[in-house]
Amino acid sequence: MIDWSIMPPLTALRAFAALAETGSTQSAGAALNVSHAAISQQIKALEGWFGQPLVDRSAKALVLTEQGDQLADALTLGFGAIERRVSELRDLDAERPLQITTTPTFAANWLLPRLASFRERHPDTDLMMNATPKSIALEAGGVDLAIRFGNGNWAGLKAEMLVPTRIAVVAAPALIGAKKISDPHELKAFHWLSEEGTHEASAWLRKHGVEAHEVRGMTQLAGNMMLDGARLGQGVVSTALCFVEEDIAKGRLQLLFDEPDQEANSGYYLVYRDAVQRPVAKAFAAWIRKAAQ
């Protein structure tokens, strides 16, 4: 076990190792991105810590004392081993694909139509998209970023609003016909479509006094199929309004209900750990913020 209490300051050891390797305070300063005066100060501080000289200042060129040579050899071995391991770990992490997770509905209806612009800017970035309604844990070495629907509160994680939206209930005009829907209970007469693994439809119905088993039937589909089914007149859906605004405008779907009284901070958020992000994750986060503007 290392006795850290007897170790001199790391900055001074780094300065001395750089001096021994490069042969001058000027070159050592350039290697560490500090001034040559700072290198000299660190060497003097290290000599004061040891109580003996490490550099022979009587010579014109840099000459280490016997004790300085011994310390330099040890530091070369130690820092060399650290440098090799750091390089291996950094390269390993750099080669790992960027991993993001989001719901199938968001992936199919918002993210995929815009993803080409990210590819244009970062053509060499490998990307793994986990499109699932499940909330995947964000852990080091795993998923880098998540895009989640909610109010921005996820314990232990940071969240930035990307797409503010509220929940809407829609159906194809061909399904509803000429019937004017004014009461959620009237929707019990229709078949419903729900995203597999979620409870948005049953939650909306229950909020308005209707149990899911009371409707004509409920079909669970993958998120990217649910809205296609709705457009084909196969059922009523409850979904984020941002996904169906164009369908409503073009008459493919009819807005039956929305939730104007829903929380003002409701929407899709970029969610990530409160930790240093990999460069590829930073690049994707910057891109998606701009895409969401």
Side-chain angles (χ1 to χ4, degrees), residues 200-224:
E200 287 180 5
S202 57
W204 187 91
L205 287 165
R206 187 175 299 111
K207 179 180 177 181
H208 293 85
V210 181
E211 292 299 325
H213 64 83
E214 295 181 274
V215 303
R216 193 167 184 177
M218 183 82 70
T219 298
Q220 290 204 336
L221 301 165
N224 58 326

PDB file of all heavy atoms in Angstrom, residues 200-224:
ATOM      1  N   GLU A 200     -49.295   5.190 -21.572  1.00  0.00           N
ATOM      2  CA  GLU A 200     -49.830   6.514 -21.864  1.00  0.00           C
ATOM      3  C   GLU A 200     -51.331   6.482 -22.152  1.00  0.00           C
ATOM      4  O   GLU A 200     -52.091   7.307 -21.663  1.00  0.00           O
ATOM      5  CB  GLU A 200     -49.090   7.143 -23.046  1.00  0.00           C
ATOM      6  CG  GLU A 200     -47.680   7.595 -22.710  1.00  0.00           C
ATOM      7  CD  GLU A 200     -46.980   8.213 -23.913  1.00  0.00           C
ATOM      8  OE1 GLU A 200     -47.630   8.361 -24.955  1.00  0.00           O
ATOM      9  OE2 GLU A 200     -45.790   8.543 -23.792  1.00  0.00           O
ATOM     10  N   ALA A 201     -51.758   5.498 -22.953  1.00  0.00           N
ATOM     11  CA  ALA A 201     -53.172   5.424 -23.321  1.00  0.00           C
ATOM     12  C   ALA A 201     -54.042   5.141 -22.104  1.00  0.00           C
ATOM     13  O   ALA A 201     -55.031   5.840 -21.844  1.00  0.00           O
ATOM     14  CB  ALA A 201     -53.377   4.350 -24.389  1.00  0.00           C
ATOM     15  N   SER A 202     -53.689   4.106 -21.336  1.00  0.00           N
ATOM     16  CA  SER A 202     -54.499   3.758 -20.168  1.00  0.00           C
ATOM     17  C   SER A 202     -54.448   4.859 -19.119  1.00  0.00           C
ATOM     18  O   SER A 202     -55.446   5.111 -18.426  1.00  0.00           O
ATOM     19  CB  SER A 202     -54.030   2.421 -19.573  1.00  0.00           C
ATOM     20  OG  SER A 202     -52.655   2.469 -19.239  1.00  0.00           O
ATOM     21  N   ALA A 203     -53.294   5.548 -18.999  1.00  0.00           N
ATOM     22  CA  ALA A 203     -53.187   6.648 -18.037  1.00  0.00           C
ATOM     23  C   ALA A 203     -54.091   7.807 -18.432  1.00  0.00           C
ATOM     24  O   ALA A 203     -54.757   8.417 -17.582  1.00  0.00           O
ATOM     25  CB  ALA A 203     -51.738   7.110 -17.926  1.00  0.00           C
ATOM     26  N   TRP A 204     -54.136   8.120 -19.734  1.00  0.00           N
ATOM     27  CA  TRP A 204     -55.008   9.210 -20.191  1.00  0.00           C
ATOM     28  C   TRP A 204     -56.470   8.849 -19.967  1.00  0.00           C
ATOM     29  O   TRP A 204     -57.262   9.664 -19.499  1.00  0.00           O
ATOM     30  CB  TRP A 204     -54.760   9.505 -21.669  1.00  0.00           C
ATOM     31  CG  TRP A 204     -55.504  10.730 -22.143  1.00  0.00           C
ATOM     32  CD1 TRP A 204     -55.049  12.008 -22.148  1.00  0.00           C
ATOM     33  CD2 TRP A 204     -56.852  10.778 -22.649  1.00  0.00           C
ATOM     34  NE1 TRP A 204     -56.025  12.859 -22.622  1.00  0.00           N
ATOM     35  CE2 TRP A 204     -57.137  12.132 -22.937  1.00  0.00           C
ATOM     36  CE3 TRP A 204     -57.828   9.823 -22.881  1.00  0.00           C
ATOM     37  CZ2 TRP A 204     -58.369  12.547 -23.448  1.00  0.00           C
ATOM     38  CZ3 TRP A 204     -59.060  10.225 -23.384  1.00  0.00           C
ATOM     39  CH2 TRP A 204     -59.322  11.573 -23.669  1.00  0.00           C
ATOM     40  N   LEU A 205     -56.842   7.619 -20.303  1.00  0.00           N
ATOM     41  CA  LEU A 205     -58.227   7.178 -20.110  1.00  0.00           C
ATOM     42  C   LEU A 205     -58.620   7.230 -18.634  1.00  0.00           C
ATOM     43  O   LEU A 205     -59.686   7.744 -18.275  1.00  0.00           O
ATOM     44  CB  LEU A 205     -58.394   5.757 -20.650  1.00  0.00           C
ATOM     45  CG  LEU A 205     -58.393   5.621 -22.177  1.00  0.00           C
ATOM     46  CD1 LEU A 205     -58.185   4.169 -22.586  1.00  0.00           C
ATOM     47  CD2 LEU A 205     -59.688   6.169 -22.764  1.00  0.00           C
ATOM     48  N   ARG A 206     -57.743   6.705 -17.774  1.00  0.00           N
ATOM     49  CA  ARG A 206     -58.051   6.683 -16.339  1.00  0.00           C
ATOM     50  C   ARG A 206     -58.186   8.101 -15.798  1.00  0.00           C
ATOM     51  O   ARG A 206     -59.044   8.373 -14.954  1.00  0.00           O
ATOM     52  CB  ARG A 206     -56.960   5.923 -15.595  1.00  0.00           C
ATOM     53  CG  ARG A 206     -57.273   5.686 -14.118  1.00  0.00           C
ATOM     54  CD  ARG A 206     -56.225   4.817 -13.457  1.00  0.00           C
ATOM     55  NE  ARG A 206     -56.148   3.504 -14.083  1.00  0.00           N
ATOM     56  CZ  ARG A 206     -55.106   3.089 -14.804  1.00  0.00           C
ATOM     57  NH1 ARG A 206     -54.061   3.893 -14.989  1.00  0.00           N
ATOM     58  NH2 ARG A 206     -55.108   1.902 -15.338  1.00  0.00           N
ATOM     59  N   LYS A 207     -57.338   9.011 -16.289  1.00  0.00           N
ATOM     60  CA  LYS A 207     -57.416  10.403 -15.849  1.00  0.00           C
ATOM     61  C   LYS A 207     -58.773  11.010 -16.162  1.00  0.00           C
ATOM     62  O   LYS A 207     -59.261  11.902 -15.454  1.00  0.00           O
ATOM     63  CB  LYS A 207     -56.297  11.215 -16.524  1.00  0.00           C
ATOM     64  CG  LYS A 207     -56.293  12.697 -16.163  1.00  0.00           C
ATOM     65  CD  LYS A 207     -55.152  13.421 -16.872  1.00  0.00           C
ATOM     66  CE  LYS A 207     -55.176  14.912 -16.568  1.00  0.00           C
ATOM     67  NZ  LYS A 207     -54.078  15.630 -17.262  1.00  0.00           N
ATOM     68  N   HIS A 208     -59.415  10.506 -17.220  1.00  0.00           N
ATOM     69  CA  HIS A 208     -60.710  11.044 -17.638  1.00  0.00           C
ATOM     70  C   HIS A 208     -61.862  10.107 -17.309  1.00  0.00           C
ATOM     71  O   HIS A 208     -62.929  10.146 -17.933  1.00  0.00           O
ATOM     72  CB  HIS A 208     -60.674  11.356 -19.142  1.00  0.00           C
ATOM     73  CG  HIS A 208     -59.748  12.473 -19.486  1.00  0.00           C
ATOM     74  ND1 HIS A 208     -58.400  12.279 -19.700  1.00  0.00           N
ATOM     75  CD2 HIS A 208     -59.948  13.818 -19.621  1.00  0.00           C
ATOM     76  CE1 HIS A 208     -57.820  13.434 -19.971  1.00  0.00           C
ATOM     77  NE2 HIS A 208     -58.723  14.389 -19.930  1.00  0.00           N
ATOM     78  N   GLY A 209     -61.620   9.232 -16.320  1.00  0.00           N
ATOM     79  CA  GLY A 209     -62.716   8.414 -15.797  1.00  0.00           C
ATOM     80  C   GLY A 209     -63.044   7.175 -16.582  1.00  0.00           C
ATOM     81  O   GLY A 209     -64.139   6.612 -16.420  1.00  0.00           O
ATOM     82  N   VAL A 210     -62.145   6.709 -17.427  1.00  0.00           N
ATOM     83  CA  VAL A 210     -62.396   5.517 -18.233  1.00  0.00           C
ATOM     84  C   VAL A 210     -61.283   4.505 -17.962  1.00  0.00           C
ATOM     85  O   VAL A 210     -60.102   4.852 -17.996  1.00  0.00           O
ATOM     86  CB  VAL A 210     -62.438   5.850 -19.743  1.00  0.00           C
ATOM     87  CG1 VAL A 210     -62.719   4.575 -20.557  1.00  0.00           C
ATOM     88  CG2 VAL A 210     -63.479   6.911 -20.033  1.00  0.00           C
ATOM     89  N   GLU A 211     -61.660   3.257 -17.715  1.00  0.00           N
ATOM     90  CA  GLU A 211     -60.670   2.201 -17.536  1.00  0.00           C
ATOM     91  C   GLU A 211     -60.347   1.575 -18.888  1.00  0.00           C
ATOM     92  O   GLU A 211     -61.206   1.494 -19.775  1.00  0.00           O
ATOM     93  CB  GLU A 211     -61.182   1.132 -16.573  1.00  0.00           C
ATOM     94  CG  GLU A 211     -61.330   1.621 -15.142  1.00  0.00           C
ATOM     95  CD  GLU A 211     -60.013   2.090 -14.535  1.00  0.00           C
ATOM     96  OE1 GLU A 211     -58.957   1.490 -14.853  1.00  0.00           O
ATOM     97  OE2 GLU A 211     -60.040   3.065 -13.749  1.00  0.00           O
ATOM     98  N   ALA A 212     -59.105   1.128 -19.038  1.00  0.00           N
ATOM     99  CA  ALA A 212     -58.664   0.607 -20.325  1.00  0.00           C
ATOM    100  C   ALA A 212     -59.507  -0.574 -20.789  1.00  0.00           C
ATOM    101  O   ALA A 212     -59.750  -0.736 -21.998  1.00  0.00           O
ATOM    102  CB  ALA A 212     -57.191   0.205 -20.239  1.00  0.00           C
ATOM    103  N   HIS A 213     -59.975  -1.402 -19.852  1.00  0.00           N
ATOM    104  CA  HIS A 213     -60.752  -2.576 -20.250  1.00  0.00           C
ATOM    105  C   HIS A 213     -62.146  -2.203 -20.770  1.00  0.00           C
ATOM    106  O   HIS A 213     -62.841  -3.047 -21.349  1.00  0.00           O
ATOM    107  CB  HIS A 213     -60.884  -3.565 -19.081  1.00  0.00           C
ATOM    108  CG  HIS A 213     -61.659  -3.023 -17.911  1.00  0.00           C
ATOM    109  ND1 HIS A 213     -63.044  -3.039 -17.851  1.00  0.00           N
ATOM    110  CD2 HIS A 213     -61.236  -2.442 -16.757  1.00  0.00           C
ATOM    111  CE1 HIS A 213     -63.437  -2.508 -16.711  1.00  0.00           C
ATOM    112  NE2 HIS A 213     -62.357  -2.129 -16.031  1.00  0.00           N
ATOM    113  N   GLU A 214     -62.554  -0.941 -20.592  1.00  0.00           N
ATOM    114  CA  GLU A 214     -63.873  -0.510 -21.041  1.00  0.00           C
ATOM    115  C   GLU A 214     -63.893  -0.139 -22.527  1.00  0.00           C
ATOM    116  O   GLU A 214     -64.969  -0.051 -23.133  1.00  0.00           O
ATOM    117  CB  GLU A 214     -64.351   0.690 -20.216  1.00  0.00           C
ATOM    118  CG  GLU A 214     -64.576   0.388 -18.739  1.00  0.00           C
ATOM    119  CD  GLU A 214     -65.074   1.607 -17.981  1.00  0.00           C
ATOM    120  OE1 GLU A 214     -64.220   2.417 -17.541  1.00  0.00           O
ATOM    121  OE2 GLU A 214     -66.299   1.768 -17.852  1.00  0.00           O
ATOM    122  N   VAL A 215     -62.716   0.120 -23.125  1.00  0.00           N
ATOM    123  CA  VAL A 215     -62.705   0.491 -24.536  1.00  0.00           C
ATOM    124  C   VAL A 215     -62.917  -0.758 -25.394  1.00  0.00           C
ATOM    125  O   VAL A 215     -62.849  -1.893 -24.910  1.00  0.00           O
ATOM    126  CB  VAL A 215     -61.388   1.193 -24.924  1.00  0.00           C
ATOM    127  CG1 VAL A 215     -61.154   2.425 -24.063  1.00  0.00           C
ATOM    128  CG2 VAL A 215     -60.198   0.238 -24.826  1.00  0.00           C
ATOM    129  N   ARG A 216     -63.139  -0.552 -26.666  1.00  0.00           N
ATOM    130  CA  ARG A 216     -63.488  -1.650 -27.564  1.00  0.00           C
ATOM    131  C   ARG A 216     -62.361  -2.661 -27.705  1.00  0.00           C
ATOM    132  O   ARG A 216     -62.587  -3.837 -27.997  1.00  0.00           O
ATOM    133  CB  ARG A 216     -63.862  -1.075 -28.929  1.00  0.00           C
ATOM    134  CG  ARG A 216     -64.537  -2.078 -29.837  1.00  0.00           C
ATOM    135  CD  ARG A 216     -65.150  -1.386 -31.018  1.00  0.00           C
ATOM    136  NE  ARG A 216     -65.892  -2.326 -31.850  1.00  0.00           N
ATOM    137  CZ  ARG A 216     -66.577  -1.971 -32.932  1.00  0.00           C
ATOM    138  NH1 ARG A 216     -66.617  -0.694 -33.299  1.00  0.00           N
ATOM    139  NH2 ARG A 216     -67.220  -2.867 -33.637  1.00  0.00           N
ATOM    140  N   GLY A 217     -61.173  -2.217 -27.522  1.00  0.00           N
ATOM    141  CA  GLY A 217     -60.012  -3.097 -27.605  1.00  0.00           C
ATOM    142  C   GLY A 217     -58.749  -2.266 -27.572  1.00  0.00           C
ATOM    143  O   GLY A 217     -58.774  -1.065 -27.839  1.00  0.00           O
ATOM    144  N   MET A 218     -57.628  -2.902 -27.213  1.00  0.00           N
ATOM    145  CA  MET A 218     -56.361  -2.192 -27.113  1.00  0.00           C
ATOM    146  C   MET A 218     -55.280  -3.037 -27.771  1.00  0.00           C
ATOM    147  O   MET A 218     -55.058  -4.185 -27.393  1.00  0.00           O
ATOM    148  CB  MET A 218     -56.004  -1.933 -25.645  1.00  0.00           C
ATOM    149  CG  MET A 218     -54.730  -1.137 -25.441  1.00  0.00           C
ATOM    150  SD  MET A 218     -54.937   0.655 -25.592  1.00  0.00           S
ATOM    151  CE  MET A 218     -55.892   1.030 -24.107  1.00  0.00           C
ATOM    152  N   THR A 219     -54.628  -2.487 -28.776  1.00  0.00           N
ATOM    153  CA  THR A 219     -53.520  -3.165 -29.449  1.00  0.00           C
ATOM    154  C   THR A 219     -52.221  -2.455 -29.113  1.00  0.00           C
ATOM    155  O   THR A 219     -52.118  -1.230 -29.274  1.00  0.00           O
ATOM    156  CB  THR A 219     -53.709  -3.171 -30.974  1.00  0.00           C
ATOM    157  OG1 THR A 219     -54.898  -3.894 -31.293  1.00  0.00           O
ATOM    158  CG2 THR A 219     -52.515  -3.834 -31.664  1.00  0.00           C
ATOM    159  N   GLN A 220     -51.234  -3.201 -28.637  1.00  0.00           N
ATOM    160  CA  GLN A 220     -49.928  -2.633 -28.334  1.00  0.00           C
ATOM    161  C   GLN A 220     -48.990  -2.869 -29.512  1.00  0.00           C
ATOM    162  O   GLN A 220     -48.877  -3.985 -30.018  1.00  0.00           O
ATOM    163  CB  GLN A 220     -49.358  -3.249 -27.059  1.00  0.00           C
ATOM    164  CG  GLN A 220     -50.091  -2.814 -25.791  1.00  0.00           C
ATOM    165  CD  GLN A 220     -49.216  -2.940 -24.572  1.00  0.00           C
ATOM    166  OE1 GLN A 220     -48.263  -3.706 -24.540  1.00  0.00           O
ATOM    167  NE2 GLN A 220     -49.533  -2.164 -23.552  1.00  0.00           N
ATOM    168  N   LEU A 221     -48.331  -1.799 -29.924  1.00  0.00           N
ATOM    169  CA  LEU A 221     -47.428  -1.840 -31.072  1.00  0.00           C
ATOM    170  C   LEU A 221     -46.104  -1.176 -30.721  1.00  0.00           C
ATOM    171  O   LEU A 221     -46.034  -0.371 -29.784  1.00  0.00           O
ATOM    172  CB  LEU A 221     -48.041  -1.094 -32.270  1.00  0.00           C
ATOM    173  CG  LEU A 221     -49.393  -1.584 -32.797  1.00  0.00           C
ATOM    174  CD1 LEU A 221     -49.990  -0.515 -33.701  1.00  0.00           C
ATOM    175  CD2 LEU A 221     -49.217  -2.872 -33.554  1.00  0.00           C
ATOM    176  N   ALA A 222     -45.079  -1.485 -31.504  1.00  0.00           N
ATOM    177  CA  ALA A 222     -43.840  -0.718 -31.383  1.00  0.00           C
ATOM    178  C   ALA A 222     -44.131   0.738 -31.717  1.00  0.00           C
ATOM    179  O   ALA A 222     -45.016   1.036 -32.527  1.00  0.00           O
ATOM    180  CB  ALA A 222     -42.789  -1.279 -32.332  1.00  0.00           C
ATOM    181  N   GLY A 223     -43.401   1.652 -31.068  1.00  0.00           N
ATOM    182  CA  GLY A 223     -43.698   3.075 -31.211  1.00  0.00           C
ATOM    183  C   GLY A 223     -43.712   3.570 -32.641  1.00  0.00           C
ATOM    184  O   GLY A 223     -44.534   4.406 -33.016  1.00  0.00           O
ATOM    185  N   ASN A 224     -42.810   3.037 -33.482  1.00  0.00           N
ATOM    186  CA  ASN A 224     -42.754   3.508 -34.866  1.00  0.00           C
ATOM    187  C   ASN A 224     -43.917   2.981 -35.697  1.00  0.00           C
ATOM    188  O   ASN A 224     -44.167   3.451 -36.804  1.00  0.00           O
ATOM    189  CB  ASN A 224     -41.435   3.105 -35.520  1.00  0.00           C
ATOM    190  CG  ASN A 224     -41.227   1.606 -35.495  1.00  0.00           C
ATOM    191  OD1 ASN A 224     -41.627   0.923 -34.574  1.00  0.00           O
ATOM    192  ND2 ASN A 224     -40.569   1.091 -36.514  1.00  0.00           N
TER     193      ASN A 224
END
